[in-house]
């Protein structure tokens, strides 16, 4: 029977990426981090976030774009 468990190297690599992502999120400006977590972790829509924070949906979109760009840059820097 084949073993479907990931090998140790894969487990370690996944943990490293998760730790880097946590640091990337922690490095975001407070408002951007809050909006990112409401969207990704709490799975709220742009409209729900906008209503909760009393901002425009366009502002939510802007913060999410900034969060994704900053996380990508954080994860891809050497």
């Amino acid at each position: 029977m084949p073993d479907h468990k990931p090998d140790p190297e894969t487990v370690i690599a996944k943990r490293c990426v998760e730790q880097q992502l946590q640091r990337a999120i922690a490095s975001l400006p407070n408002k951007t981090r809050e909006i990112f977590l409401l969207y990704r972790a709490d799975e709220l829509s742009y409209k729900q976030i906008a209503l909760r924070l009393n901002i425009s949906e366009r502002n939510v979109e802007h913060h999410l774009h900034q969060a994704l760009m900053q996380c990508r840059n954080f994860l891809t820097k050497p």
Side-chain angles (χ1 to χ4, degrees), residues 39 44-51 56-57 60-61 64:
Y39 183 71
L44 297 182
S45 69
Y46 284 24
K47 185 174 188 170
Q48 291 169 316
I49 295 168
L51 289 171
S56 70
E57 288 182 55
V60 171
E61 182 180 357
L64 287 173

Side-chain angles (χ1 to χ4, degrees), residues 31-32 35-36 38-39 44-65:
K31 186 70 136 188
T32 302
I35 291 169
F36 179 80
L38 287 170
Y39 183 71
L44 297 182
S45 69
Y46 284 24
K47 185 174 188 170
Q48 291 169 316
I49 295 168
L51 289 171
R52 181 179 284 192
L53 300 179
N54 198 30
I55 60 175
S56 70
E57 288 182 55
R58 179 76 177 124
N59 204 337
V60 171
E61 182 180 357
H62 171 77
H63 280 281
L64 287 173
H65 177 75

Side-chain angles (χ1 to χ4, degrees), residues 14-40:
K14 184 177 177 184
R15 284 185 190 152
C16 287
V17 170
E18 289 171 355
Q19 289 172 348
Q20 285 180 307
L21 184 55
Q22 287 176 355
R23 285 194 300 271
I25 293 168
S27 75
L28 295 172
N30 291 338
K31 186 70 136 188
T32 302
R33 181 175 55 249
E34 179 183 17
I35 291 169
F36 179 80
L37 292 174
L38 287 170
Y39 183 71
R40 292 291 183 176

